[in-house]
Amino acid sequence: MHWALDAARRSAQQGEVPVGAVLVRARPGIDTVAVSELLACTHNQPIGLHDPTAHAEMLALREAARQLGNYRLDDCELYVTLEPCAMCAQAMLHARIKRVVYGAREPKTGAAGSVLDLFAYRELNHQTEVVGGVLAEECGALMQDFFAGRRRAAKKSAIPLRDDALRTPERRFESAWKIWPKLHEASNHEQALPELQGLRLHGLDLGPREADSQWLALHGPDAWWPQLAAWATARAGQGARVLLPDLIGFGQSDKPKRTAWHRLDQHAALLLAWLESRGVGQFDVAYAPGQRVLAQRLLELAPQRIKQFRSLGETDLAPWTPELAKAPYPDAGHEAGRRAWRAHGWDAR
């Protein structure tokens, strides 16, 4: 089991779940004393091998079978740091493994007694002896340390939220993804740009990156990206590239709590920076009803980059439901952006 633990540590070093396995065969030694012949020492590699069956136990069975030139592994014992799953347990039974020795229990998928016990079925034509709990503390600690490290890394890489802003829970956007499931692949978040001041901007990037026609599509002040999804996908289907952001304060983007944060020049500048970060030089602008003022400000700030304007009409818009309208705004605190558009009169058509 110490050898299996060493193999499990190699697994963790490669970013795989740390499970190690050792397979040995008993052979007669001097004065008829049995000795163990090492046939395989393996570790988890589903990620590295792109193989969902590449558990440590499965790899050990395959290597031992190659060594012996036989798919039957009579008189062999397998030591593994974690209780086998159903796949591995059944494979051991098929291989006629004499005994399985495991370390830590696996309460979620263990098939040697934790969730089910495949080895206990006397109806099967082979019975394998099972011994559990060998070096269980060391084996379990290795697993715990690995997943604790993953959680720390995930927390470190998680996108933080500014103290003076709000973020709508992702579950509230499920209604949109049900209508437009394929657009998930085009969804992205940006937070690193200085112009965003630590806020997170959500957007869709549709169509070929090197398209001759590149569009910035602006949703209306009472909407977000699904309003223009039909128009954007149609244009992308014709070979154009369409970038469809949720403005800061709207949709799936972060929402500053104060209306004072919203300044037209600030919105225009960060949109231009976002487009540049995505490799967009010159572009066309299409805007939904109520977003003419922002579109005009973009033209004033970057006349050399904008080739043409297009005002979208009602026939260009997707059907709008109360569920979609309410999704980004769990409470009034999330609506500072909408209030700012109305207060400044930016929602002119």
Side-chain angles (χ1 to χ4, degrees):
M1 190 63 78
H2 282 294
W3 291 348
L5 272 167
D6 288 340
R9 293 186 185 100
R10 291 195 295 274
S11 184
Q13 290 168 359
Q14 296 176 15
E16 305 271 5
V17 174
V19 180
V22 169
L23 200 150
V24 299
R25 179 176 64 162
R27 298 187 65 182
I30 300 175
D31 297 329
T32 70
V33 177
V35 295
S36 292
E37 176 189 9
L38 178 64
L39 296 177
C41 182
T42 55
H43 61 80
N44 258 13
Q45 296 187 70
I47 298 173
L49 296 180
H50 311 294
D51 181 356
T53 71
H55 289 193
E57 304 96 303
M58 299 294 288
L59 296 177
L61 292 172
R62 292 170 188 165
E63 177 60 24
R66 281 193 293 269
Q67 292 281 349
L68 298 177
N70 194 338
Y71 72 99
R72 298 296 195 203
L73 301 178
D74 299 311
D75 298 322
C76 290
E77 297 182 345
L78 191 148
Y79 294 77
V80 61
T81 57
L82 188 69
E83 181 182 355
C85 69
M87 173 183 70
C88 296
Q90 188 62 63
M92 293 172 199
L93 291 166
H94 280 307
R96 304 293 195 265
I97 291 290
K98 181 179 180 180
R99 185 169 76 139
V100 175
V101 180
Y102 71 85
R105 290 180 62 252
E106 173 47 275
K108 294 183 179 179
T109 62
S114 291
V115 177
L116 72 161
D117 192 350
L118 287 176
F119 299 103
Y121 283 87
R122 296 303 168 190
E123 296 83 358
L124 298 176
N125 63 352
H126 177 76
Q127 275 71 53
T128 293
E129 180 187 352
V130 178
V131 177
V134 177
L135 297 184
E137 186 174 343
E138 292 93 328
C139 295
L142 186 59
M143 294 288 289
Q144 291 169 6
D145 290 346
F146 176 79
F147 285 107
R150 273 194 172 180
R151 288 190 294 271
R152 287 193 298 271
K155 186 175 181 180
K156 185 177 180 180
S157 64
I159 299 175
L161 177 65
R162 278 175 39 160
D163 291 339
D164 60 345
L166 297 168
R167 184 171 295 160
T168 305
E170 289 298 318
R171 64 180 181 276
R172 292 187 63 91
F173 303 116
E174 291 177 359
S175 57
W177 293 126
K178 287 179 181 178
I179 300 171
W180 305 98
K182 294 183 179 180
L183 296 189
H184 252 306
E185 298 177 1
S187 175
N188 60 78
H189 290 92
E190 175 60 62
Q191 192 171 13
L193 295 175
E195 290 81 1
L196 286 168
Q197 304 170 33
L199 296 168
R200 186 177 73 167
L201 177 75
H202 173 262
L204 303 180
D205 191 341
L206 304 169
R209 188 176 180 87
E210 303 302 326
D212 293 333
S213 179
Q214 308 229 358
W215 287 86
L216 170 66
L218 300 175
H219 63 75
D222 289 313
W224 48 300
W225 69 259
Q227 183 190 39
L228 301 183
W231 181 85
T233 52
R235 296 294 299 181
Q238 296 167 5
R241 183 186 185 188
V242 181
L243 294 105
L244 174 52
D246 285 324
L247 300 175
I248 292 294
F250 298 82
Q252 293 178 247
S253 293
D254 285 351
K255 301 170 179 65
K257 298 176 185 178
R258 300 181 182 276
T259 57
W261 184 92
H262 295 276
R263 293 180 289 107
L264 204 59
D265 283 351
Q266 184 162 262
H267 278 279
L270 69 85
L271 284 174
L272 293 171
W274 178 67
L275 290 171
E276 188 171 353
S277 74
R278 302 199 70 81
V280 177
Q282 289 190 316
F283 59 94
D284 303 315
V285 176
Y287 60 92
Q291 209 57 280
R292 176 177 57 82
V293 176
L294 177 57
Q296 186 65 37
R297 185 56 57 91
L298 284 167
L299 179 60
E300 294 168 358
L301 290 179
Q304 72 285 358
R305 292 180 62 186
I306 297 176
K307 295 188 293 185
Q308 64 171 314
F309 271 6
R310 177 172 177 178
S311 174
L312 300 178
E314 296 298 330
T315 57
D316 297 308
L317 310 182
W320 205 240
T321 66
E323 185 179 16
L324 287 173
K326 294 177 182 178
Y329 311 109
D331 56 51
H334 290 74
E335 298 190 34
R338 297 205 297 185
R339 290 196 296 269
W341 249 252
R342 291 192 295 267
H344 293 293
W346 300 336
D347 55 350
R349 292 175 180 261

